[in-house]
Amino acid sequence: MLLSEQDQFLSYNGEVLVFQLSKPKHAEGANDKTMNLCVRRMVFNRDTKLFVQKSSGVFSMHASHSKFEMICCGCTTDSRTGIVLPCILMKKKKQNNVKYFVLLLHSSNQFEQSFYFKLDYELKEDIRLFAGPSVLWRHANKLFYISSSTCVVQSAPVQLSSVVWAGEIVDEGTAILGIRTACLPETEDADGFSVSDRAIWGSEFFGYAIQTQKMLTGTCFMPHAYSRVVSSVHICKSERWKKQLRVSLVAVTHKNQLIWFQNGVPKGVCELPYEKPCSVKPAVTSSNDLLFVVSFASGNSCAVQRRDSLQVASKWQKVKCILVDDFIGSGSEQLLLLFKDDSNTDVLSTFKITDLGEVNYASDITYKHDIPAAEGLQENGLLTVRALETRLQAGWTSVRELQQHLGLQKKVILESCRALIDLVEERTHILPNAKEEGLVSLWDDVENPPHSLSKETSLASKVPEHFTEELWQRVVGDSLVVGVKLTESFYLSLSDVSLSLVMNQDFSSISPIIKCQSKIIKLNKAFSALAVSSSQIEPPPKKMKLDLHSKNDVRKEFPKRSSSVQLDGAKTLTAVTSLSPLLAFHRVCCVVLLHARKQNHQNDSLQQSKNITVLCGKILLSLEDISNGRYSVKMLRDNSYCTGSVEDILAVLAVSLRFSFQIVSSDCTLTPVGSWLLGEMECTPFKECQDNIFCHKAGNVHGTIFNWTLKNPFEGVLTIFCRNLTVLFQCLHSLTRVLPPSCSVKLLRSGSKAVLTEHLALALEKEMLTLKNSLFLKEAKAENSLTWENESGRKINNSPLASLLDTGEGVQQFRNKLQKEREESVRSMNQTMNGALYQKTALKIAEAQLSSDMIVWRLS
């Protein structure tokens, strides 16, 4: 298809859309009544270095005695979907009647008519397309606009001589920047310069927000003195600062200049190479250079680069159209220049794609055999050096900003740690001066400390004075293990328990928070070492009987749940961290903090929980003590037992990886497993807990702990606590050599099936109780509401019905009573719940369901 002067070009998502008006081929030479609007989607092929057609579409229009014309096109936002779509404004003229309609082009190449409007004149001046889609134009020094939402032509209450820009302004929506005759006030005001400025030049800038119908001060864009020479404007950035509008823009003038304005003040100027500039648009290239592309009425174009100053980077002549988009798919923008071609050849046959740097494609270059001239090489070399310099400057700026951000982040973390330590030690924390620290307060400064701080302190003070039985530390390999033994009564009131270690010294260069992993290990008289996560607490063996009809039973039984748990011994929490980073300080003091959710009983109702952080104590660690073996684990063989202390056993278990295997034999007993442990693996049981045995065999497997539990002679569970996976594979390899061939070994995800089943039953029970309690809260609220209404309703005279109906006043009283009963019935059927109460109830239900789902996943 050959090009014509009326064709329109538009860039959209890296594609070039070519719009053309034509008659159907079959009707050439005939008086056809149809006109087609054709669109061709062209994409750049990087292999052939040419534009190829991707797809096409056609929109047919009835053209009987009518003349069609494309007025303008652009990319606008569809207000229905928020998607940016190509948009084209069409004109249909039939005798003296002029009709305009707006078409949207979808990705399927289907055209959609958005709206149309009729005028008794033709659009010629300052026609703009913007979001909606909407159309804006100027006629007889008045501003008119129409949108797809109203489909009615509206006029703005302003007089203007030209529109130099239309687009989006922050907090104002769609706005225009125009020029009008200066409107001088009758009396002088405080803005004397502005008044004299307008009086001298006779015209002024003004802004007008279309949606809010609000006038914007023109001086925040440019001084009024430029209103006589500016022909086109592009606003690069707009923002609100202290309720004032701040704008950055570039403007081209009739004096052949491009001027950069910042908040109404000129910051730079560049002389343009041609006369009569008519438009300016921006482009951001791969080297992060900001280019301003200026088009001239003569068909020439140039690109102005903004670095230390504004300067012309390149210029071109005989340009039909210049587009900005990512045409080669590199992630940055390039310029596409379409040149005028007298041969009137096919679409996009004469073009140039460039970013004034690395990208340079042209239709007249033969890439296989083209040898650039020395001058071209030198020019490309200079452009490459400039691009590299810009990249280097941008990278250095990013590095400095990142360093400043990391420094500020470190300051905040250090100050938070100091505040946390002071909080748990019940000391008053004094915040540093924000100005000295280079920080900006996010709150209004107050003299009294925040109320939340006092609440946390009071909550921590409610913790019993003696809640820990022992605080200890051990060194196992390259790991430091810190253990806290809690009293049974205190532990039963906690959930989501964990430990954290914070260095007590004031180190300005590092964070005092020590990365560690928390575990809970239970010690029973008949020891079965099962390390569980900090969020798993052994459920009580006693089950509650569910009564779905009595809410009082739930309120009485549920608080007693924690007291019904019977455990042998106490609970020990451990925190494991890497030892080598701490040794760099030679001697270090660490604060041990306990984090948990503490459950409280309120008014014999369901227990509530609050987050607490309490101080367990401090530990001292020095390189000298570690060298002397003060905190080392000692596992010695004494006859047929292993003499390790409870703390030593817990430390080894804390740093070990735990794996449980179910071993099942179908045709013989599992006696060989016990013989393998005591014989080949040279294991001896601990004196403190004889269910667990320690491996004394020389080599990598030394120090491995085993737990062998027989359910019956043909089935058992073997739990292995090992340092790493290599040791695990060695143990399994040795075990499979002594097992009968018919045995099956299966890895268990966590714990035995019976224990997990019990946990699931209790979790589902808790979930049902939570749901039931939420219903009771709503039911109680409804009952209280109805009770109050009934009591207020008793004021109505309860005389016999017959006597009530004898008089008009009695009939009215009976009607009122019947209406109140009807309203009470409706309210009882449609009870609402307070938003905060609903949020709290929904959170409890979600937590209970999550616990159940986690156990089901472990069972699967």
Side-chain angles (χ1 to χ4, degrees), residues 472-477 479 481 629-636 642-653 655 686 694 702-703 705:
W472 51 267
Q473 63 199 85
R474 290 290 187 275
V475 174
V476 183
S479 299
V481 182
R630 180 177 177 183
Y631 305 117
S632 299
V633 172
K634 298 177 179 62
M635 298 288 189
L636 301 177
C642 185
T643 59
S645 64
V646 174
E647 290 76 14
D648 293 341
I649 300 170
L650 293 174
V652 174
L653 293 176
V655 300
F686 291 104
F694 184 84
H702 180 82
I705 297 177

Side-chain angles (χ1 to χ4, degrees), residues 616-770:
C616 299
K618 298 179 180 179
I619 61 169
L620 294 173
L621 191 66
S622 66
L623 186 58
E624 182 179 357
D625 291 338
I626 294 174
S627 301
N628 295 333
R630 180 177 177 183
Y631 305 117
S632 299
V633 172
K634 298 177 179 62
M635 298 288 189
L636 301 177
R637 182 184 294 185
D638 182 11
N639 295 326
S640 58
Y641 291 99
C642 185
T643 59
S645 64
V646 174
E647 290 76 14
D648 293 341
I649 300 170
L650 293 174
V652 174
L653 293 176
V655 300
S656 299
L657 300 176
R658 175 185 177 274
F659 299 93
S660 295
F661 298 91
Q662 182 184 32
I663 303 176
V664 179
S665 176
S666 59
D667 54 2
C668 60
T669 63
L670 296 176
T671 305
V673 178
S675 303
W676 171 74
L677 290 171
L678 299 177
E680 182 177 345
M681 302 304 291
E682 301 179 18
C683 296
T684 57
F686 291 104
K687 263 189 177 181
E688 300 292 338
C689 43
Q690 298 183 15
D691 283 357
N692 291 266
I693 54 180
F694 184 84
C695 178
H696 296 277
K697 184 179 180 179
N700 290 338
V701 296
H702 180 82
T704 306
I705 297 177
F706 298 91
N707 184 303
W708 172 238
T709 304
L710 272 174
K711 293 184 178 180
N712 55 62
F714 301 94
E715 181 181 356
V717 175
L718 176 65
T719 303
I720 303 176
F721 297 89
C722 54
R723 293 193 307 273
N724 50 52
L725 292 176
T726 302
V727 175
L728 173 66
F729 293 143
Q730 288 180 347
C731 294
L732 292 177
H733 177 69
S734 177
L735 175 62
T736 53
R737 290 187 298 178
V738 301
L739 287 176
S742 60
C743 281
S744 64
V745 180
K746 178 184 177 182
L747 175 65
L748 301 178
R749 286 193 173 179
S750 179
S752 65
K753 190 172 183 180
V755 173
L756 289 177
T757 304
E758 182 72 13
H759 284 205
L760 178 60
L762 293 169
L764 292 174
E765 186 176 329
K766 180 181 179 181
E767 184 179 337
M768 293 179 64
L769 288 170
T770 305

Side-chain angles (χ1 to χ4, degrees), residues 318-424:
K318 295 183 179 181
V319 178
K320 175 186 293 187
C321 177
I322 184 165
L323 303 174
V324 177
D325 209 326
D326 182 12
F327 300 102
I328 66 173
S330 63
S332 59
E333 294 179 334
Q334 305 94 40
L335 309 181
L336 171 62
L337 294 98
L338 304 178
F339 296 98
K340 295 179 180 179
D341 190 355
D342 296 335
S343 62
N344 198 21
T345 56
D346 202 357
V347 179
L348 303 181
S349 59
T350 308
F351 68 89
K352 181 182 182 67
I353 298 177
T354 181
D355 65 352
L356 304 186
E358 300 175 357
V359 179
N360 188 22
Y361 296 102
S363 57
D364 57 349
I365 296 178
T366 305
Y367 291 92
K368 291 183 179 180
H369 307 288
D370 183 46
I371 302 175
E375 183 180 353
L377 283 175
Q378 185 177 3
E379 182 181 358
N380 289 338
L382 290 174
L383 293 175
T384 303
V385 170
R386 290 177 184 174
L388 292 175
E389 288 176 353
T390 305
R391 281 189 181 183
L392 186 61
Q393 291 174 357
W396 175 240
T397 303
S398 301
V399 169
R400 283 187 298 178
E401 292 177 353
L402 183 61
Q403 288 176 342
Q404 293 175 357
H405 176 72
L406 291 176
L408 178 61
Q409 194 178 54
K410 187 179 295 183
K411 283 183 180 181
V412 174
I413 292 175
L414 289 173
E415 192 59 38
S416 302
C417 292
R418 296 189 189 105
L420 178 60
I421 294 173
D422 291 340
L423 174 64
V424 298

Side-chain angles (χ1 to χ4, degrees), residues 53-85:
Q53 180 173 317
K54 178 182 176 182
S55 59
S56 63
V58 177
F59 181 72
S60 298
M61 299 169 288
H62 185 66
S64 177
H65 305 291
S66 300
K67 182 180 179 181
F68 287 90
E69 183 181 346
M70 291 183 288
I71 304 300
C72 63
C73 62
C75 294
T76 62
T77 303
D78 187 352
S79 59
R80 300 168 299 178
T81 61
I83 301 175
V84 177
L85 294 174

Side-chain angles (χ1 to χ4, degrees), residues 37 42 86 102 108 161 200 275 337 345 354 359 383 491 500 557 570 591 626 701 711 717 756 782 796 815 837:
L37 172 63
M42 310 293 291
V102 175
S108 60
S161 57
I200 292 172
E275 296 181 351
L337 294 98
T345 56
T354 181
V359 179
L383 293 175
Y491 181 82
S500 64
E557 290 183 13
V591 176
I626 294 174
V701 296
K711 293 184 178 180
V717 175
L756 289 177
I796 300 176
R815 285 177 178 172
L837 179 60

Side-chain angles (χ1 to χ4, degrees), residues 496-643:
D496 297 339
V497 190
S498 64
L499 291 179
S500 64
L501 304 178
V502 181
M503 284 190 290
N504 204 19
Q505 287 94 329
D506 187 9
F507 297 110
S508 58
S509 60
I510 64 166
S511 172
I513 301 175
I514 301 175
K515 182 180 179 180
C516 59
Q517 179 183 10
S518 296
K519 287 185 178 181
I520 304 172
I521 300 177
K522 172 189 169 187
L523 284 180
N524 290 337
K525 291 179 181 178
F527 180 80
S528 177
L530 296 177
V532 296
S533 64
S534 59
S535 62
Q536 298 290 331
I537 298 178
E538 183 177 351
K542 177 183 176 181
K543 292 186 178 180
M544 291 178 292
K545 181 179 179 181
L546 294 178
D547 184 0
L548 298 178
H549 301 283
S550 174
K551 59 181 178 296
N552 295 325
D553 293 342
V554 177
R555 295 177 180 176
K556 292 178 181 178
E557 290 183 13
F558 194 80
K560 296 179 182 179
R561 180 170 185 174
S562 61
S563 63
S564 66
V565 180
Q566 300 295 333
L567 296 176
D568 295 329
K571 287 284 185 176
T572 299
L573 280 78
T574 60
V576 182
T577 187
S578 180
L579 178 63
S580 52
L582 300 178
L583 296 181
F585 303 104
H586 186 72
R587 184 177 182 86
V588 66
C589 176
C590 294
V591 176
V592 183
L593 301 177
L594 170 70
H595 309 277
R597 293 179 66 89
K598 183 172 174 59
Q599 300 166 352
N600 301 320
H601 303 293
Q602 298 179 353
N603 301 327
D604 196 30
S605 63
L606 284 174
Q607 53 191 9
Q608 307 294 324
S609 61
K610 295 183 179 179
N611 292 322
I612 64 169
T613 300
V614 292
L615 176 65
C616 299
K618 298 179 180 179
I619 61 169
L620 294 173
L621 191 66
S622 66
L623 186 58
E624 182 179 357
D625 291 338
I626 294 174
S627 301
N628 295 333
R630 180 177 177 183
Y631 305 117
S632 299
V633 172
K634 298 177 179 62
M635 298 288 189
L636 301 177
R637 182 184 294 185
D638 182 11
N639 295 326
S640 58
Y641 291 99
C642 185
T643 59

Side-chain angles (χ1 to χ4, degrees), residues 78-230:
D78 187 352
S79 59
R80 300 168 299 178
T81 61
I83 301 175
V84 177
L85 294 174
C87 176
I88 186 166
L89 175 63
M90 300 290 300
K91 181 180 78 172
K92 180 181 180 181
K93 186 176 181 181
K94 186 176 182 180
Q95 296 178 354
N96 294 329
N97 297 324
V98 183
K99 176 182 177 182
Y100 294 90
F101 55 96
V102 175
L103 300 177
L104 291 176
L105 177 63
H106 294 277
S107 58
S108 60
N109 289 327
Q110 295 293 321
F111 286 91
E112 175 192 1
Q113 180 172 314
S114 180
F115 62 92
Y116 71 91
F117 56 99
K118 295 181 179 180
L119 298 175
D120 55 1
Y121 57 88
E122 295 187 31
L123 301 182
K124 294 182 179 180
E125 299 174 317
D126 296 330
I127 306 169
R128 307 294 173 97
L129 294 173
F130 56 95
S134 304
V135 184
L136 177 146
W137 68 92
R138 180 175 60 89
H139 178 72
N141 290 334
K142 291 184 179 181
L143 183 67
F144 299 91
Y145 57 91
I146 183 174
S147 67
S148 59
S149 58
T150 61
C151 298
V152 176
V153 177
Q154 297 176 322
S155 63
V158 293
Q159 293 281 334
L160 73 166
S161 57
S162 66
V163 176
V164 294
W165 176 84
E168 297 289 325
I169 291 288
V170 61
D171 296 336
E172 301 294 346
T174 302
I176 63 106
L177 177 61
I179 300 174
R180 65 182 178 183
T181 304
C183 302
L184 297 177
E186 295 180 359
T187 59
E188 291 288 332
D189 56 6
D191 190 8
F193 175 78
S194 179
V195 172
S196 61
D197 189 19
R198 288 178 288 173
I200 292 172
W201 295 96
S203 61
E204 64 178 357
F205 288 108
F206 75 98
Y208 179 74
I210 293 178
Q211 278 88 353
T212 59
Q213 298 183 357
K214 176 182 175 182
M215 298 296 294
L216 306 176
T217 305
T219 52
C220 67
F221 298 93
M222 286 175 288
H224 293 304
Y226 290 89
S227 59
R228 285 292 184 94
V229 294
V230 169

Side-chain angles (χ1 to χ4, degrees), residues 262-282:
Q262 187 82 28
N263 303 325
V265 178
K267 295 294 184 180
V269 62
C270 175
E271 293 292 333
L272 297 176
Y274 305 111
E275 296 181 351
K276 297 181 180 180
C278 55
S279 67
V280 58
K281 66 178 74 172

